[in-house]
Amino acid sequence: MALRLVQANFKARDDAALGRFWAEALGWVSHSSPGATSVVPVGFVWTDPDAPVCVDVIAVPDPETVKYRAHIELATTSAAHQAELVARLKELGATPADVGQGDVPWTVLADSEGNVFCVLEPREMYRDTGPIAAVVVDCADPRAMARFWGEAMDWTLHEVTDDRALLRSAKDVGPYLEFLRTPHLHDLSHRVHLDVVPYRGDGQAAEVARLQTLGATPADVGQGNFPWVVLADPEGNEFCVLAPA
C-alpha cells in the first residue's frame, strides 16, 4: 500500500485566473469548473501511475486566512533559460518577492495572487523533472518528515540532513519532495498543500487508517461533506487523501 502525490493545491480568490497563470508558466493547459481549476500537461491521464505532479487551484473567500507551509520550485536548463523564464513570468503578472533569501542564484517570485515560488538556476539533479523541480515544505524536523512521507508514499530518500531532506518517486520521475528546516514557522503563510491518492486497487479508507498509524491526524478545515479526507502530517501540515479514480 502506498500513495501517489498528484498535485500541489493552491487557494485563490479567482481560481480560473490563477489557473491560467500557472498553465502559461508551466506550458500546460487549464480546465475550469465552478470553484476549481486544474492545471495539467497536454494529454494528461489522471489514472496513469506515472503521471506528473500537477497543480489544482480552489476558490476560497479569503485565501489570506489559509496558512500552509509549502511552495513549488521551477526547473531551468541554462542561465539564459532562467532569465527568459523569469521575464516571461513577470509579463504574466508575477512580482519579485523578498523572503529574506539574500544573495542567491535562484529568483524568488510571487504569482498573481501572492503565492511565493522559486525559479531555480540550472541544476543537474533537476534535468529530468519537468517544469516543476520540487515541492518544498517548510518544517522543524526534516528527518522526521522524511520518515513519515517516505512511508506514506514509498518514495526514495535521496538526501537527509538536519537541515534538509529530499525524496523522489521510486521510479525517478517527476519532481522532488523537499523538507526544509525553517525557523519561525508560525510566521509563514504559504497557501499551498499536497494532495495524494491511493493507487488503483487500494482503498481510501485503508490508506487513511495506515497514515494515522504513521502519525497523521484528522484535520477540519471546513471541508464539509466531500469525497476527500483531510489529514495533518506530524508537524500539522494539512493534506488531502483523494478517492481513487
Side-chain angles (χ1 to χ4, degrees):
M1 299 175 71
L3 293 160
R4 179 165 60 94
L5 178 59
V6 288
Q7 56 200 19
N9 189 302
F10 288 71
K11 298 292 182 288
R13 293 182 184 86
D14 187 337
D15 61 283
L18 188 60
R20 287 192 297 271
F21 170 88
W22 280 105
E24 291 283 348
L26 300 170
W28 292 355
V29 294
S30 62
H31 303 285
S32 293
S33 58
T37 298
S38 59
V39 181
V40 299
V42 175
F44 173 79
V45 178
W46 174 260
T47 54
D48 181 357
D50 297 326
V53 176
C54 298
V55 171
D56 196 42
V57 187
I58 303 297
V60 297
D62 185 6
E64 292 294 342
T65 66
V66 182
K67 295 187 177 182
Y68 298 97
R69 300 193 294 258
H71 69 274
I72 66 174
E73 296 184 333
L74 304 185
T76 62
T77 56
S78 66
H81 180 208
Q82 183 186 19
E84 291 166 2
L85 180 56
V86 168
R88 184 165 64 84
L89 291 165
K90 289 180 179 178
E91 291 177 357
L92 294 172
T95 54
D98 186 351
V99 293
Q101 67 268 25
D103 184 17
V104 293
W106 58 88
T107 302
V108 184
L109 299 173
D111 68 20
S112 54
E113 288 220 6
N115 299 294
V116 173
F117 66 99
C118 299
V119 181
L120 300 179
E121 76 285 2
R123 300 185 190 181
E124 178 65 19
M125 66 181 295
Y126 297 140
R127 71 188 185 281
D128 61 352
T129 60
I132 300 177
V135 179
V136 181
V137 180
D138 300 313
C139 67
D141 187 345
R143 294 181 185 276
M145 291 288 276
R147 284 194 297 271
F148 171 83
W149 283 100
E151 290 189 53
M153 300 194 300
D154 195 25
W155 278 25
T156 300
L157 182 64
H158 285 257
E159 176 185 333
V160 61
T161 68
D162 289 341
D163 294 320
R164 185 173 84 146
L166 275 174
L167 299 167
R168 196 183 189 195
S169 159
K171 296 182 179 180
D172 281 336
V173 296
Y176 287 79
L177 180 60
E178 177 177 352
F179 297 101
L180 187 66
R181 189 172 69 86
T182 308
H184 312 302
L185 286 175
H186 61 280
D187 294 334
L188 302 177
S189 57
H190 302 299
R191 300 184 298 274
V192 182
H193 71 265
L194 306 179
D195 286 344
V196 295
V197 67
Y199 284 94
R200 299 185 79 175
D202 291 338
Q204 182 189 40
E207 282 298 307
V208 168
R210 185 176 69 87
L211 289 166
Q212 289 179 286
T213 67
L214 296 176
T217 54
D220 185 352
V221 294
Q223 62 267 26
N225 186 24
F226 286 99
W228 55 84
V229 177
V230 184
L231 298 174
D233 70 19
E235 289 205 6
N237 299 297
E238 289 95 356
F239 65 98
C240 295
V241 183
L242 308 182

